Amino acid sequence: MSYCVNCGVELDSSLTKCPLCATPVINPNDKTEEKSIPTYPVEYMQDIVKKMRFMSANLVSVIFLTGLVLCPFCNYVISEKLTWSRYAMPSILFAWCCAITPIIIRKKTFLKCIIIDFIAAFIYLAAMNAITTPNINWFVSICVPILLYLLGSFILMYSLSAKKINVMYIISLSFVLAGIFCMMTEYFLRKFRFLAMEFVWSVPVLISCIGIALLLVVIARLSKISEIRKRLHI
């Protein structure tokens, strides 16, 4: 058994560097070191991760499937017809999709989860529109443009974060996008209700968001100056 020459921690014979301080392990007296097998091979760990993902996905699916079966059963036993369960079942399916997606997706998890969850949201809201108010198409008039805007905003934020842009700039952009989202929401709601096209509550929200965004941009610019970085503990 070897010891780290830097921190003195006891080392396994399969290690090539210290797990504590990352100092390379050099032991010329140990002739069996090159032939030693790592304690936890990469293939073994990957197999464990796959099994854990599979078990987690099955457990989550069983939980939601139980609710999906019990809701119409209880509703029919109590009321002798399906009433409230019609609303609960699509909600359970949507929640299951949001819960299972990050478990089964491995690469580029965030972006793929966002896209799949938005597709599930489109289907869920369309189903709720058909169930609740089939004669009033609020899904196309309100939900579709807002969901498309949100999806585009999330993809834009993800693309900027992948380019390693200053996080303060990304946060400031998120405030501007949130203000625009409020204006869009008010616009489509007033258009759907055939009201006069005037912005009431969304304008103050947008102005506040722009003000916060400008403040964050100024802080991001000032943080590049070393003396200010020290004073602001950045």
Side-chain angles (χ1 to χ4, degrees):
M1 188 65 69
S2 304
Y3 297 88
C4 178
V5 296
N6 183 46
C7 63
V9 68
E10 189 176 5
L11 303 172
D12 187 84
S13 59
S14 63
L15 295 175
T16 58
K17 64 180 179 179
C18 177
L20 186 61
C21 63
T23 301
V25 177
I26 301 175
N27 188 357
N29 296 325
D30 190 359
K31 298 181 180 180
T32 62
E33 184 176 4
E34 296 180 358
K35 299 180 181 180
S36 60
I37 300 175
T39 307
Y40 296 102
V42 177
E43 295 79 6
Y44 176 71
M45 295 301 297
Q46 290 178 349
D47 186 55
I48 291 179
V49 172
K50 289 181 182 179
K51 290 181 179 179
M52 291 181 63
R53 285 179 176 271
F54 181 75
M55 292 177 60
S56 301
N58 286 340
L59 179 61
V60 171
S61 299
V62 168
I63 293 173
F64 282 98
L65 180 62
T66 303
L68 192 65
V69 173
L70 287 178
C71 281
F73 176 77
C74 295
N75 188 190
Y76 187 80
V77 169
I78 296 173
S79 306
E80 295 185 353
K81 59 180 180 179
L82 299 180
T83 54
W84 56 266
S85 62
R86 295 184 302 166
Y87 310 104
M89 293 171 66
S91 302
I92 293 174
L93 289 174
F94 176 66
W96 170 80
C97 181
C98 294
I100 201 70
T101 304
I103 298 176
I104 61 178
I105 293 180
R106 301 176 184 177
K107 297 180 180 179
K108 296 182 180 180
T109 305
F110 180 79
L111 182 60
K112 290 182 179 179
C113 286
I114 288 295
I115 295 175
I116 293 175
D117 289 345
F118 267 94
I119 294 174
F122 272 99
I123 298 174
Y124 168 70
L125 291 173
M128 294 303 294
N129 187 183
I131 294 172
T132 56
T133 54
N135 298 326
I136 303 175
N137 196 357
W138 50 263
F139 170 72
V140 175
S141 302
I142 301 176
C143 297
V144 170
I146 291 178
L147 285 175
L148 289 176
Y149 173 79
L150 288 175
L151 178 59
S153 300
F154 276 109
I155 294 177
L156 174 62
M157 298 290 289
Y158 177 80
S159 302
L160 293 177
S161 62
K163 294 180 180 180
K164 298 181 179 180
I165 297 177
N166 192 326
V167 67
M168 300 295 285
Y169 293 137
I170 297 177
I171 296 175
S172 62
L173 177 61
S174 66
F175 275 99
V176 176
L177 293 175
I180 298 174
F181 167 76
C182 292
M183 290 197 68
M184 285 187 59
T185 303
E186 184 177 14
Y187 170 78
F188 286 111
L189 286 174
R190 298 183 72 87
K191 182 180 179 180
F192 178 74
R193 299 176 62 185
F194 300 101
L195 299 176
M197 285 301 166
E198 55 181 359
F199 298 99
V200 181
W201 58 268
S202 61
V203 173
V205 175
L206 178 61
I207 294 174
S208 302
C209 290
I210 293 176
I212 296 173
L214 292 175
L215 178 61
L216 292 175
V217 170
V218 172
I219 294 175
R221 299 285 293 182
L222 292 176
S223 64
K224 295 181 180 180
I225 304 175
S226 59
E227 183 63 25
I228 297 178
R229 287 174 64 91
K230 294 177 180 179
R231 294 184 179 275
L232 296 177
H233 302 284
I234 298 177

